[in-house]
Every structure is written in structure tokens, then in C-alpha cells.
Amino acid sequence: YTTYDNLDFGTVKGFSFEYELRRTGNATLNANYTLQFADGTGSDANSQRGLTSRGNLRTLFPLNYDERHRINLNFDYRFFKGQAIPKFLEDAGLNVQAVSVSGRPYTADRTPLELGGTQTIGSINGARKPWTFTINARIGKTINFSKGAGLNIYCRVSNFLNRQHVLNVY
């Protein structure tokens, strides 16, 4: 008989580097780079489902959520009261966030066989999806009514460049 038991494990190793430019004049900048290696015997409870007839394999492979490289940039520019040349720009600002991530791993398969099943190309999670790059922008202005009371109006655009990314591979 076969029993259902999950003996998988995963380890994530890496480091992160961050640079923060505190407000200098009207601008701030925050930059972050992360390098990580997420390896394990299975990404979820069913990763090794078809392998029980061969015993429990303890070989480490990249996990489904392994992102080797991640770069985050956040730039903020604000006009403060009494500082803006045109009066309508007082308490207005622009925030731009850029995120770039290396592709996640997947297991490449050949075209399905006539009698069912597929043939794996390479190792489990041995292929990588392409990098993704996204820019989000937010422009806004605060309107003050009285001391301590105001209204913040903003427009936020996600995926400013309208890039299409590969999310899954079939």
C-alpha cells in the first residue's frame, strides 16, 4: 500500500544589499538588490508524488519560487509648501518604483507522447523563465483645508510600460 507523507524540505540562502538616499532637497532614492538560492527536495506537498515507486529521492533542485536576482528601485520627488515655483505644485509629488526579477525555474517537457505522458528535457526545474521588469508610477497632491485636515488626491499606474510577462510555461 502507499501512504501519503511529505518528507520534503527546502533551504533558502542568500544576501541583500540596500542603498538609501534620505531626502536630499526634494528627492529620495531607495535601491535594493537580493541574491538568493532556494533549493529543496520539493516545492509543495505533491512534488514527489510519482516517485514513490523508486523510493524517496533526496536530491536538491531549485524550488518553484526560486528568484536568483531581484532589483528594486524606488524614487520619490516632492514639492513642499513655499518651495514650488508654480503655486499649484505645492504639496505635490511623483513616486516611481521599478522592479526587475530573474525568471523562476520550471521543468521543460517535450511535446506530449501519443500514448500519454511527457518526456522531461534536462532536470527538474532545470529551465528558467525570462526576466520580468515592471515600472509603477504614482503622482499626487495634498490639498490642505485647515490645520491638520487635508485631502490627498493621486493617480497610480501599475505596469506603466504595459509589459507582458511570461507567468507560466505549458
Side-chain angles (χ1 to χ4, degrees), residues 143-150:
I143 301 169
N144 295 310
F145 297 118
S146 63
K147 187 175 182 179

Side-chain angles (χ1 to χ4, degrees), residues 3-10 40-49 52 55-60:
T3 60
Y4 186 82
D5 196 12
N6 184 5
L7 300 175
D8 291 330
F9 68 91
T41 57
S43 297
D44 58 42
N46 295 314
S47 294
Q48 306 249 347
R49 180 179 58 218
T52 56
N56 287 326
L57 300 177
R58 306 320 283 160
T59 306
L60 296 179

Side-chain angles (χ1 to χ4, degrees), residues 108-129:
D109 291 334
R110 292 195 192 283
T111 306
L113 303 173
E114 292 176 13
L115 301 175
T118 59
Q119 183 179 10
T120 301
I121 301 171
S123 63
I124 296 173
N125 281 347
R128 294 255 170 194
K129 298 175 204 167

